[in-house]
Amino acid sequence: MKSRQRILRGVAANFGSVVTRVAAQFLTLPILFSSWDAERVGAWLLLFAVPAYLGFVSSGFSGAGGSAAVAAHEKGEMEQARAHFTSSWIIASASTLVLAAAFPLALAETGGAIAALRSVPQDVLDQTLFALAIYIIASSQVATLEIPFRAAGRYADHIALNSACILAEIAIIALCVISSDDIATLAMVLAATRCAAAIWIAVLARRAAPGMFQGPTGAWRDSTRTLLMPSLALMLLPLVHGLNLQGYTMVIGISSGAVILAGFVATRTLTRLLDLFTSFSFSMQFYESAHLDPADLETRRRLLAVMTLLAAFFTLGFSVALLIFGDFAQRLFTNAQTPFDPVLASVLLLAAGLRALSAAPFAMVAAANRHGTTVMWYFLASLAGLVLAAILADRAFALPLVLAPIVMAELFQLVPAFREALRMSGLSLGGFVASLLSRERIGDVAWALRELRRKR
C-alpha cells in the first residue's frame, strides 16, 4: 500500500511538474515580448542561457547520491545514507562554485564581441552576470536537497516544491518586465527568489528526513569515491542538454543577432513541448526503477515496450499538430514579432522525437548505474555537433542546416541506451521489435493510458 501511494503521489507530482513547465515555456516568452522589444528579449535569453543549464548540472549529483541514499535508508543504514547526502552536497557545491565564478568572468570579457549583447551597457552587463552567478549557486542547493526527500520516500514533495519555485519566478519575471526594462534588475530579483527558495526547501527537507541532517558522519569520504563516477556521468547529462539547447542559443545569438535568436527560441519553445512528455516519462521510470527486482525481466521488457510505443505515438501526433498549427501558435506566442519556419521546426521535432524514444531505455539503464558509456557517447556527439553547428553558422549556412547536427547527437543517446537496456532485459533487437507488435502490447498501452488519465 505504501509503495502504491508513493507511486500515485509521484505520478501526480510529475504531472504537476509537466504542467508547470508548460506554463513556464508558454508564459515567459509572451511576458517578455509584451513589454520588451525583440533585441532586449534576445539579449536576456543569451545571458540567461548558461545559468539556466548550469542550474541542472547539480541534478547529476542528486540523482546518483539520491539512488544510493534510498538503498541505504531502506536497509536502515542512516549513517551511510547521510554520508551519501553529505558527499553529494560537497561535490555539487564545489563544482557549481567553480562554474558560477567562471561564467561571469568569461562573458564579461567577450560580451563586446557578441552581437546580441552589444546594446547592453557594460555596468548593466556586470551587474546581471553577478546576480546570475548567485542564481547558479542557489540552484545547485535546491537540486541537492532532493536527496533527503528521496531517502524518506517523498521525492514527490521536492518535485512539487521545485514546481512552485518555477511558478513564483514566472510571476517575478512578469512584475519586473512590466515595471522596468532593466535586465540587471530582473537578474537580481530572480537570484533573490532562488536563494529564498533554497532556504525554504532546506527547512522542509530537514522536517521530512531529520536523520539526514543529524550528527556528523565519517563515511562521506568513502561515499564520495563511490558516487564520483556515476555522479559525473549524470552531471554530464544536463551538460549535454545544455550543449544541445543553450549551446545552440549561444551559437545563433553570436552569429545571427538578437532578433533571429528570439525567433529561433520561440520556435524551439513550441517544439520542446514534446520534451515535457519525455521528462515525465523519464522521471517516473528513473525514480521507481530502483524498486524493481533485478531478476524480474518480464516487467522490464513490458515497461520498455509500452513506454517506447507511447513515445512513438506522442511524437507523431504532436509533430503533425505543430506543423499544421505552428504558424498561428508562434504569431500568437510572440505578438506576431517572429515567423514560424516549418523546416526549422521539422529538424527540432526530429531531435525531440529521438529524445522521447530514448527516455525509456535510458531511465532503465541510469537507475541501475550503468549509464556511463551511454552518457559519454551522447556528450562527445553533442560536443562535436555543436562545433560543427558553429562552423556552419560562421559560413552563413541556412538555420535548419546549422541545427542538423543536433539530430546526429540524439542518435548517439538512442542507440547506446537501447543496446544496454535490451542487454539488461535479456532481449535481442528482433525480440524487442516483435514484442512491440504483439497483441499483449495493445492491452498494456491501453492500461497505461487509462492509469495516467485516472491518476491525473
Side-chain angles (χ1 to χ4, degrees), residues 236-308:
L236 277 179
L237 191 60
L239 178 62
V240 170
H241 292 163
L243 290 173
N244 290 337
L245 295 173
Q246 306 302 346
Y248 283 81
T249 299
M250 298 286 288
V251 167
I252 294 170
I254 292 171
S255 62
S256 302
V259 175
I260 293 177
L261 173 62
F264 159 70
V265 172
T267 302
R268 189 188 66 184
T269 299
L270 293 173
T271 62
R272 282 196 65 200
L273 288 175
L274 183 58
D275 287 348
L276 300 174
F277 165 79
T278 303
S279 177
F280 175 79
S281 172
F282 173 81
S283 295
M284 285 308 307
Q285 291 176 86
F286 177 74
Y287 285 126
E288 294 301 329
S289 289
H291 301 277
L292 288 178
D293 183 354
D296 188 0
L297 297 182
E298 180 60 26
T299 299
R300 291 181 181 276
R301 293 168 181 170
R302 294 180 67 179
L303 182 63
L304 183 61
V306 168
M307 296 311 298
T308 299

Side-chain angles (χ1 to χ4, degrees), residues 48-224:
F48 195 66
V50 174
Y53 116 76
L54 288 181
F56 294 109
V57 169
S58 295
S59 65
F61 298 111
S62 65
S67 297
V70 167
H73 192 276
E74 291 186 349
K75 295 177 183 178
E77 300 173 353
M78 283 305 304
E79 183 177 358
Q80 188 62 47
R82 189 162 59 247
H84 291 319
F85 174 44
T86 301
S87 60
S88 296
W89 177 81
I90 291 172
I91 298 171
S93 298
S95 62
T96 310
L97 280 171
V98 173
L99 293 171
F103 159 67
L105 292 175
L107 203 54
E109 291 297 324
T110 60
I114 298 176
L117 298 181
R118 288 173 186 163
S119 62
V120 181
Q122 187 61 45
D123 60 335
V124 174
L125 179 62
D126 293 340
Q127 294 170 20
T128 303
L129 294 175
F130 177 76
L132 292 179
I134 296 175
Y135 183 91
I136 292 169
I137 295 170
S139 296
S140 76
Q141 303 305 299
V142 171
T144 309
L145 286 167
E146 179 188 77
I147 295 176
F149 287 103
R150 286 191 66 189
R154 296 174 57 180
Y155 68 85
D157 291 353
H158 186 271
I159 296 174
L161 291 169
N162 199 45
S163 297
C165 294
I166 294 173
L167 291 175
E169 290 183 1
I170 294 175
I172 291 296
I173 291 172
L175 291 174
C176 286
V177 300
I178 291 172
S179 60
S180 172
D181 60 358
D182 186 10
I183 290 177
T185 299
L186 176 57
M188 287 186 284
V189 176
L190 282 177
T193 303
R194 186 53 66 107
C195 288
I199 295 172
W200 176 45
I201 293 175
V203 171
L204 296 179
R206 189 179 184 91
R207 293 177 183 174
M212 300 291 285
F213 294 85
Q214 293 175 355
T217 174
W220 68 268
R221 292 182 179 85
D222 292 336
S223 173
T224 300

